[in-house]
Amino acid sequence: MNIKQKWLNLIGTKEYFSLERRIFHGVCLITSLVLLISFPANFFLGLLIFGYVLLVALILLLILFYFSRYKKQSRATFAIFAVCISFVLVIGYLFNCGIDGPIILIFAITFVIYASIVKKEQLLFWMLFQLAIAYTLLYLEYSYPDMIYVHYEKPSFRYLDTALTLGILLLTIFLTIRYLKTNYRQQQELSIKKNEELQKANATKDKLFAIISHDLRSPFNALIGLSQILKEQQNELGEIEKEKFVTAIYDTSTKTYNLLQNLLEWSLSQTNEIHFSPEEINLNALIKQAIAMPLEVASSKEVTINLNVFENYDIIADKNMIETVVRNLVSNAIKFTSSADTISISSYINHKGTTLVVSDNGVGMSAATLKTLFDDGTTQNNDEHIAERGTGIGLLLCRDFIAQHDGLIWAESIQGEGSSFYVFLKNSSI
C-alpha cells in the first residue's frame, strides 16, 4: 500500500465522510505533525510551560481525530478543536514574549485552517472569533505589560524561536494548501466524470428513443399489415401466397426480436448492468449455439453457412457476450447477403490468441462506411439494401463486449464483393 492510499485511509473515504469531514481529518493530522515538531523545540528553548501545553494539545487533538474518524462523532469535534487551538494560542502569547514573540503570526494561519474546514456561512463568525482573541490579548498587553512572561534562557533563543515558528507556519500553509488543492482537483475530476456520464446517459436515451420511434415502429407496422391481409383475405389467397405472407411475418418477427434483444443488452451495457464473467468454453459449441436462430433465417433465404472452427478447442471468455457478438455478426452477414449465397465462419489460432472470422460475399461496404462502422451514432446505410438497413446497435454492442475482453474487432470489405469481420481474443482474456 503506497503513501497516498494510506493517507486516504486515514482521513476516510468519500462514501462515509463528507468533504468537510475529510478536510477536518486532514487538518487534524497536519496540525498534529506541527505540534509534534513544536513541543520538543519549546523544551529545548527553555519554554517549559508552553512546551507542556503543546504536548497536552497534541494528545487532545489526536483524541478528537480518533472520535471523529473512527467513532463518527463529529458534531462537537470541530468546536472542541477550535477551543483547543485558541487555548494554545493564548498560553503561547502569554508565555512567549507577547507581541514581540512569534505567536501573533499564528492567528492568521489558524483562520486559514478554520476556513478550510467550516461551511461558508460560518466563515464570518470564526474570523471575528479569531480577531476578538487577538485584539483582546493586544489590549491586555498594552494595558498590563507585566502580564507577559519571557522565559528565553539566551537572547539567541528568541531568534531561533521566531525562525522555527516561521518554518512551521510555512510548512503548515504548504501542507494545508496542497491538501486543499488535491481535494479540489479530485472534486473537479469527479464533477467532470459525472457530467460525462450524464451526457452519455442522455445520448443513450436519445438513441433509444430514436430507435423505438423509427426502427421498431416500421417492422410492427409491417407485421400488422401482413397479418391484416391474412385475416381479411385468407379465403381469397392461394397456398403459395399464404406461405409468402407467413414467411414474411416470420422474417420480420425474427429481425424485430433480434433488435429488441440487442437494445436490451446494449442499454444494460451502457448502465454497467452486464458483468464480465469469463470462463473456459468450447469455441465450436459456443458458435453453434449462437447461430441457432440466425440459421433459420439463413435457411428461409437459402443462404448457406459454412462452419470451419476447431471442434476441440477451448477459449477463456464470457459466454453470453461472445454469443451475442457471433449472433450479431452472422445476422448482419445474412442481412446483406443475396439469396443462395454463402457465409463462412472460421477461426485461426496462434501463440497470441484466437481470431474468429465471419465472411460473406454480399454487397460489401464503401470505404467511408467502413471507417465509421464502430463509431457511436453511426448506422449501417446501404443503398442496395436500404429496406434492410440496421440501427448499428448490434455492432456497437460487439465493440463494447470485445473491449471488455481486452480484444480487437475490425472489418475488411470491398463494395460489391463482400465483407469480413474479425474478432481477436487474447489467450489471457481472463
Side-chain angles (χ1 to χ4, degrees):
M1 187 183 295
N2 56 31
I3 296 176
K4 181 180 179 181
Q5 189 59 47
K6 288 182 178 179
W7 173 259
L8 292 176
N9 289 339
L10 275 175
I11 65 173
T13 60
K14 60 184 179 182
E15 288 80 12
Y16 297 101
F17 296 96
S18 65
L19 178 61
E20 288 80 5
R21 300 316 305 171
R22 284 182 279 132
I23 291 177
F24 173 70
H25 296 157
V27 169
C28 277
L29 293 174
I30 293 171
T31 308
S32 298
L33 176 63
V34 171
L35 292 176
L36 189 63
I37 298 172
S38 299
F39 87 82
N42 278 272
F43 283 136
F44 173 76
L45 295 173
L47 304 173
L48 299 182
I49 296 177
F50 189 47
Y52 283 118
V53 170
L54 292 178
L55 179 58
V56 172
L58 173 61
I59 296 172
L60 180 59
L61 194 59
L62 291 175
I63 292 173
L64 290 176
F65 169 77
Y66 172 78
F67 275 96
S68 177
R69 169 63 180 85
Y70 296 103
K71 296 298 183 180
K72 297 182 175 62
Q73 298 177 5
S74 58
R75 181 169 296 181
T77 48
F78 175 72
I80 299 173
F81 171 81
V83 171
C84 174
I85 295 297
S86 299
F87 175 74
V88 170
L89 292 178
V90 171
I91 297 300
Y93 188 88
L94 295 176
F95 288 87
N96 202 350
C97 299
I99 195 172
D100 294 324
I103 298 300
I104 196 67
L105 301 173
I106 303 179
F107 278 91
I109 186 58
T110 304
F111 175 69
V112 173
I113 294 174
Y114 290 170
S116 67
I117 301 172
V118 301
K119 295 180 180 179
K120 181 176 65 175
E121 296 80 9
Q122 299 175 351
L123 278 177
L124 180 60
F125 169 79
W126 289 108
M127 183 187 73
L128 296 175
F129 177 77
Q130 285 296 101
L131 284 175
I133 296 176
Y135 287 172
T136 300
L137 289 173
L138 290 172
Y139 173 76
L140 290 175
E141 182 181 4
Y142 176 77
S143 302
Y144 310 99
D146 294 336
M147 67 180 288
I148 303 299
Y149 297 90
V150 180
H151 290 286
Y152 290 122
E153 293 182 0
K154 298 179 181 179
S156 60
F157 283 0
R158 180 176 181 178
Y159 295 95
L160 287 174
D161 191 21
T162 301
L164 178 64
T165 303
L166 182 60
I168 290 174
L169 279 175
L170 293 177
L171 175 64
T172 305
I173 293 172
F174 169 76
L175 292 176
T176 303
I177 297 300
R178 187 174 185 273
Y179 177 61
L180 291 176
K181 281 183 172 291
T182 300
N183 273 277
Y184 173 76
R185 185 178 68 252
Q186 290 174 349
Q187 289 296 116
Q188 196 174 37
E189 290 173 354
L190 182 61
S191 178
I192 292 172
K193 184 179 179 181
K194 286 184 177 179
N195 286 334
E196 289 175 349
E197 290 176 351
L198 181 61
Q199 290 176 0
K200 185 177 180 181
N202 287 333
T204 301
K205 178 194 68 177
D206 293 342
K207 190 171 184 65
L208 281 172
F209 284 157
I211 293 168
I212 291 171
S213 64
H214 179 269
D215 296 273
L216 280 180
R217 184 169 56 186
S218 298
F220 277 115
N221 286 337
L223 286 173
I224 293 171
L226 291 169
S227 59
Q228 186 177 6
I229 292 173
L230 278 177
K231 178 183 177 182
E232 295 176 353
Q233 301 180 22
Q234 57 180 324
N235 296 326
E236 302 172 12
L237 297 173
E239 290 301 320
I240 296 177
E241 291 176 311
K242 286 182 181 180
E243 185 178 349
K244 288 182 180 179
F245 276 107
V246 170
T247 301
I249 290 174
Y250 173 78
D251 290 344
T252 304
S253 300
T254 303
K255 292 173 186 176
T256 307
Y257 172 78
N258 288 336
L259 175 58
L260 282 172
Q261 191 171 19
N262 282 336
L263 278 174
L264 177 61
E265 291 179 340
W266 181 71
S267 61
L268 289 174
S269 71
Q270 297 301 298
T271 53
N272 298 319
E273 293 294 329
I274 295 180
H275 302 289
F276 178 56
S277 302
E279 58 181 308
E280 187 174 350
I281 46 179
N282 182 269
L283 181 60
N284 188 282
L286 180 145
I287 292 175
K288 286 181 178 178
Q289 186 172 342
I291 66 174
M293 183 176 290
L295 199 59
E296 295 181 14
V297 179
S299 298
S300 67
K301 200 174 178 179
E302 297 181 354
V303 171
T304 303
I305 298 180
N306 293 328
L307 185 61
N308 183 24
V309 177
F310 295 103
E311 292 189 1
N312 299 316
Y313 182 73
D314 293 343
I315 61 171
I316 302 296
D318 184 295
K319 182 175 180 292
N320 293 327
M321 289 186 180
I322 299 303
E323 275 190 10
T324 300
V325 171
V326 173
R327 186 181 69 245
N328 273 287
L329 294 181
V330 173
S331 296
N332 274 348
I334 295 171
K335 183 188 301 183
F336 295 108
T337 298
S338 302
S339 299
D341 276 344
T342 302
I343 294 170
S344 66
I345 305 173
S346 54
S347 63
Y348 303 94
I349 303 167
N350 59 28
H351 66 284
K352 292 183 178 180
T354 303
T355 302
L356 185 67
V357 186
V358 178
S359 300
D360 65 71
N361 53 3
V363 297
M365 292 174 284
S366 65
T369 301
L370 194 62
K371 186 177 180 180
T372 59
L373 197 60
F374 296 99
D375 292 347
D376 289 315
T378 61
T379 57
Q380 299 174 20
N381 189 352
N382 234 297
D383 293 337
E384 291 84 353
H385 280 244
I386 194 74
E388 293 185 286
R389 181 173 54 190
T391 62
I393 287 292
L395 290 179
L396 294 182
L397 196 60
C398 294
R399 180 201 65 184
D400 293 344
F401 282 175
I402 296 302
Q404 291 197 48
H405 286 77
D406 195 22
L408 297 171
I409 183 169
W410 71 98
E412 296 176 357
S413 182
I414 299 176
Q415 197 161 18
E417 296 184 15
S419 304
S420 294
F421 283 80
Y422 297 82
V423 174
F424 173 74
L425 296 175
K426 296 179 179 178
N427 287 329
S428 57
S429 293
I430 196 167

